[in-house]
Amino acid sequence: MAAPLSVEVEFGGGAELLFDGVKKHQVTLPRQEEPWDIRNLLVWIKKNLLKERPELFIQGDSVRPGILVLINDADWELLGELDYQLQDQDSVLFISTLHGG
Amino acid sequence: MCQVGEDYGEPAPREPPPAPRPSREQKCVKCREAQPVVVIRAGDAFCRGCFKAFYIHKFRAMLGKNRLIFPGEKVLLAWSGGPSSSSMVWQVLEGLSQDSAKRLRFVPGVIFVDEGAACGRSPEERAKTLAEVKPILQAIGFPWHVVALEEVFSLSPSVLRCSSQEPAAPEEAYKAAVDSFLRQQHVLGAGGGPGPAHGEEQLPQPRAQLPQNPPSLLRPPAAAQTEALSHLFCSVRTLTAKEELLQTLRAHLILHVARAHGYSKVMTGDSCTRLAIKLMTNLALGRGAFLAWDTGFSDERHGDVVVVRPMREHTLKEVAFYNRLFSVPSVFTPAVDTKAPEKASIHRLMEAFILRLQTQFPSTVSTVYRTSEKLVKAPRDGPATGDHSPRCLLCMCALDVDAADSATAFGVQTSSHPSQIQLPTSLTDTGTPQESPIALIETRTPQGPCCFPGGPRAQGCCQGASRREDPQACIVEQLCYGCRVNMKDLPSLEPLPQYILAEAQLRTQRAWVLAELRDCLIEDSDDEVGQS
């Protein structure tokens, strides 16, 4: 049983275009059965934050290739990627590298 | 290799076995002390400090080992606002301000091209972007140039002509240049004042200069030009051709600014990932002959201005991490392919393919990159004709369309010009390979009925004169295979900027005159007196 979590979700590199141009979102994840991990967070984002074109952000149950995920300014590969369990006051940043230049 | 009697064992696994996951509990692979923050390549976890050192070292090593940029040289940094070019500009900024032993020694300027009109942005949106761009340019401190893409309409045809190529400076020349530069510094330092600090005053200090305010920034581009540009881009049928056209026009504009202000080098921020995607995309676009120039470290096709790609070993992931961890400012500008679906263009498709492959096989990008490093630039017909071989009108690479080789010439031409169905029979007669525009004109001398009565008026078929007046045919003849395929997606070539049309006309006329003169020479010598 997971307590409600307060998490900051940020988008950069052009990913914010899919979220009405808003870069920072302070979200409160509701209480639920399973603990909150990145996998659940993505589902939640798709349902509640994503405004358009889900296929440009999410592919399958993970992010689209080319989108980096940083948790508390660290690579998510070091923290277990989708299986990382979110804690209160965590900061998750999604950077799209596809908009190059 | 396969052997007779070899039995295929169990079927090859669909996915590679998962590599052991790096975890936070490990230490940084380099210093073995600090906690890692980023995973580079396949499983190397770096801490913040080691990552920074690694990143900067890659940049400096790329410049250092190629030894193309001489001390005191003027280098134009092409900044699009995006992460890779922002990172590059930042590296140059930091590199110039280091202590004298390791300091970068060239003189930079920055150019920003406003492509809003091609992407369909409103003037308010473009003004907003410029308002974000200006403070960054001022903070950087180098002389900057902000140009709108509309300025291609005021370019002169000379931008499409290659200046004579300077011979590639050998190793000794570089060393000698650096030595003399250092001696100069030392002398100036010893002459007066305390050491190198005084000597530095002699070097143009980018920061002390007032950033130039080019007139193009004082007023927005003329509405007629904006209209013309957006009309041009709207008339392009496919996103692939749009992207290619945008790249071409942007390259011409940057080349023009570089020449106008005396820059001999242009640095672009193409990253490893982007270049790997570009390599595969260009193969699909029919530009395989020019891969070495399009994706290599240096691109000397213009002769006097050399395009250099110092970021070509940095992956997009490293760039994004560096920018985030060390707060490199960048400006996000939507491009022509923003939010385009995956199959919208060849570029997007290839990008999705490579990135998806990369997630499963993390060495994909680096493998493609290593392959691109091995590409060698060989002139088409041997070194002798290197300078004088005809160049593509748009991309300025040596023309790869050989009139005698029916595979390229025939395949591209027939779909656009009904008259050229006659071409194969006369092609096989020419035999000897010739410069393509002349060959195409010569095969048009009527040997049989070319324009049949009652048939569609063949565009510029038989007469050289009417051929010269047809802009479409003029231009297409002057293009390499890849550019011809792109131009097929433009229903009419009229909206192209005037400098392209004018130069195409000029080259066709020149080729026609040459052909006529050759004809004269073949005739009896009695006629020459009257003809010349």
Side-chain angles (χ1 to χ4, degrees), chain A residues 8 10 12-20 23-24 39 52-53 55-56 59 63-83 91 93 95-101, chain B residues 21-26 36-41 43 45-46 48 80-86 269-270 274 316-318 320-321 324-325 332-335 337-342 348 351-352 355-356 359:
Chain A
E8 185 190 55
E10 199 180 335
E16 66 271 18
L17 282 186
L18 303 174
F19 297 89
D20 261 348
K23 288 197 177 179
K24 291 200 193 198
R39 199 174 273 117
E52 53 178 320
R53 314 294 300 282
E55 76 277 9
L56 290 183
Q59 199 176 74
V63 287
R64 184 175 174 222
I67 297 194
L68 296 180
V69 184
L70 279 79
I71 303 168
N72 299 327
D73 274 357
D75 196 344
W76 75 333
E77 285 186 40
L78 290 168
L79 300 165
E81 293 193 20
L82 290 169
D83 300 318
S91 161
L93 165 64
I95 306 182
S96 166
T97 59
L98 298 173
H99 237 281
Chain B
R21 282 256 191 86
S23 71
R24 208 68 198 273
E25 284 72 46
Q26 290 174 356
V37 292
V38 58
V39 178
I40 302 294
R41 298 187 288 245
F46 281 74
R48 196 185 155 104
S80 66
S84 310
S85 49
S86 302
D270 297 302
R274 278 283 156 225
L316 280 176
K317 177 173 180 179
E318 293 166 17
F321 261 94
R324 170 70 187 186
L325 293 178
F332 171 73
T333 41
D337 65 343
T338 302
K339 292 204 218 169
E342 195 177 279
R348 299 287 282 176
E351 176 188 89
L355 290 178
R356 205 170 290 161
T359 55

Side-chain angles (χ1 to χ4, degrees), chain A residues 18-46:
Chain A
L18 303 174
F19 297 89
D20 261 348
V22 179
K23 288 197 177 179
K24 291 200 193 198
H25 303 250
Q26 193 70 36
V27 301
T28 310
L29 301 171
R31 198 181 277 269
Q32 67 160 27
E33 288 289 328
E34 313 140 354
W36 281 103
D37 58 12
I38 302 287
R39 199 174 273 117
N40 299 346
L41 178 65
L42 284 179
V43 175
W44 188 91
I45 288 177
K46 183 172 174 181

Side-chain angles (χ1 to χ4, degrees), chain B residues 239-281:
Chain B
L239 185 59
T240 305
K242 238 183 254 209
E243 292 207 39
E244 287 295 300
L245 182 63
L246 182 60
Q247 279 180 29
T248 305
L249 294 180
R250 183 200 300 145
H252 292 170
L253 193 55
I254 293 180
L255 178 65
H256 166 76
V257 171
R259 281 184 177 153
H261 292 89
Y263 292 99
S264 49
K265 298 269 183 324
V266 172
M267 274 195 190
T268 61
D270 297 302
S271 62
C272 186
T273 317
R274 278 283 156 225
L275 284 176
I277 296 172
K278 187 171 188 182
L279 189 142
M280 303 296 286
T281 308

Side-chain angles (χ1 to χ4, degrees), chain B residues 7 11 16 86 104 110 134 137 153 175 189 194 198 216 278 296 300 340 348 359 373 425 435 485 502 526:
Chain B
D7 201 19
S86 302
L104 290 177
V110 183
K134 255 175 62 178
L137 285 173
F153 287 100
K175 276 198 181 143
H198 184 78
S216 57
K278 187 171 188 182
E300 313 92 355
R348 299 287 282 176
T359 55
E373 273 190 317
T425 47
E435 290 183 293
V485 173
D526 299 337

